[in-house]
Amino acid sequence: MAKPTAGPEIERLIALLARLPGLGHRSARKAALTLLKRRTDLLEPLAAALAEAASRIVACENCGNLDSLSPCTICRDAERDASLIIVVEEIGDLWALERAGVVKGRYHVLGGHLSPLDGIGPGELNIGRLIERAVPPVEEILLALNATVEGQATAHYITDQLRGRDLKITRLAQGVPIGGELDYLDEGTLAAAIKSRRML
Amino acid sequence: MAKPTAGPEIERLIALLARLPGLGHRSARKAALTLLKRRTDLLEPLAAALAEAASRIVACENCGNLDSLSPCTICRDAERDASLIIVVEEIGDLWALERAGVVKGRYHVLGGHLSPLDGIGPGELNIGRLIERAVPPVEEILLALNATVEGQATAHYITDQLRGRDLKITRLAQGVPIGGELDYLDEGTLAAAIKSRRML
């Protein structure tokens, strides 16, 4: 712990900023200074945006997304394909897929992955509501989970829970990322890419 | 500019966080998610700390430090050596010296360095007030400015302004940093270290 050097209000601000991912104590100090120097165009708007987020943003009762509405804007969007639910671990994954803009289904955010050693079982994840949602008109459940041991274990668990229903359960393809150089890829990715090789 | 994927409140929060030094758009998204997930122990306290900083933190009329008091806690501290003013470019430099805890004078924050190409002349810096303060009981002005061209030009300008007064004007020593390996040091540092070499 660094010795306090500024007043208690500034030290408290630095300590809170340092708890954000990507900011250590040193960069939190820089961020605090920037905020204090740019009071009207940064500090005050950020304080207001945080207060508004705290009071208005809620988790969607349907899919677990964060929005100022529940059900969220995506769940309410009539243009979305109602037959497809894309299951993701975290809201950041939902944002990544929306940025890519390649699929227009609805989502289901689990809030993490199964991790028995950390005490994360099915009850800790938003799985029960997914099972409820997996009924017509839903035809496909795309498990867009991380290609990690935990992500894949979670995918298996969900597949088991949905067994016997008239549903297509799919997962993301695995292989060489676009722009990827073979020399820098791990063996697991290369093995997946070779196993799922396609005819030209 | 990334395509908006979350609601407007969240996008606004991300855009503001991305303007902090050390946070790009990607890490700002991560930070926003962390804030939204940790509402009571992080989002709400940070909103409150920012609002308090916006309403309470002011620049010290005497030295330019930021504090909830003006004159600031350091300027009011009777234990400080009243004969020494340490001149720094930015408040971050003041904090760095306070953390090091090796000198117990009072400070004077210039708010930057002379940079004619950027339109920063003496009038843009907090130099006038320094000239006013440089009277007894002050005996020494330590110019703790960056070892850059601009920092040194600023030091020369201040030295000129104070010429003729009964004051000791000093600057920080230059040389090999503690733990520094010669192999990784630039030629300027090596030249300074050799020029100022000391007898053992």
Side-chain angles (χ1 to χ4, degrees), chain A residues 58-199:
Chain A
V58 291
C60 171
E61 62 198 88
N62 198 37
C63 74
N65 187 17
L66 290 170
D67 200 348
S68 51
L69 298 170
S70 175
C72 71
T73 311
I74 293 177
C75 282
R76 284 165 193 256
D77 181 357
E79 309 262 296
R80 299 267 167 170
D81 179 355
S83 73
L84 171 63
I85 292 180
I86 305 151
V87 181
V88 293
E89 295 184 22
E90 299 284 1
I91 288 160
D93 303 331
L94 182 162
W95 291 354
L97 288 167
E98 284 294 293
R99 276 198 304 282
V102 288
V103 64
K104 284 288 171 204
R106 299 221 167 85
Y107 290 91
H108 193 85
V109 182
L110 296 177
H113 48 239
L114 293 176
S115 181
L117 288 178
D118 301 316
I120 313 286
E124 277 66 52
L125 300 178
N126 186 17
I127 291 180
R129 179 81 187 111
L130 173 62
I131 307 299
E132 288 172 24
R133 291 180 69 197
V135 290
V138 173
E139 294 165 12
E140 178 177 355
I141 304 283
L142 167 49
L143 299 172
L145 305 181
N146 289 338
T148 57
V149 172
E150 294 86 358
Q152 297 310 301
T154 310
H156 276 120
Y157 177 84
I158 293 172
T159 307
D160 277 349
Q161 297 298 305
L162 294 173
R163 201 178 297 285
R165 299 204 190 186
D166 187 17
L167 283 170
K168 205 161 55 170
I169 302 180
T170 55
R171 66 162 176 80
L172 297 176
Q174 295 181 339
V176 180
I178 305 304
E181 296 180 51
L182 297 196
D183 202 14
Y184 291 95
L185 289 175
D186 61 296
E187 292 166 20
T189 301
L190 288 174
I194 289 173
K195 196 173 151 206
S196 306
R197 64 192 180 277
R198 305 270 297 268
M199 193 76 82

Side-chain angles (χ1 to χ4, degrees), chain A residues 3 5 9 19 21 29 33-34 37-39 41 43 50 52 54 56-57 68 90 92 98-99, chain B residues 3 5 9 19 21 29 33-34 37-39 41 43 50 52 54 56-57 68 90 92 98-99:
Chain A
K3 193 179 145 203
T5 49
E9 296 89 357
R19 287 162 63 188
R29 279 201 306 268
L33 262 184
T34 302
K37 275 196 203 169
R38 297 174 55 186
R39 193 165 300 217
D41 74 326
L43 200 168
L50 287 167
E52 183 167 323
R56 295 198 49 194
I57 302 297
S68 51
E90 299 284 1
E98 284 294 293
R99 276 198 304 282
Chain B
K3 194 179 142 203
T5 50
E9 296 89 356
R19 285 162 63 188
R29 280 201 305 268
L33 263 183
T34 301
K37 277 198 204 169
R38 297 174 53 187
R39 195 165 298 219
D41 74 325
L43 200 168
L50 287 167
E52 182 166 324
R56 293 197 51 194
I57 303 297
S68 50
E90 300 284 0
E98 284 293 293
R99 276 198 304 283

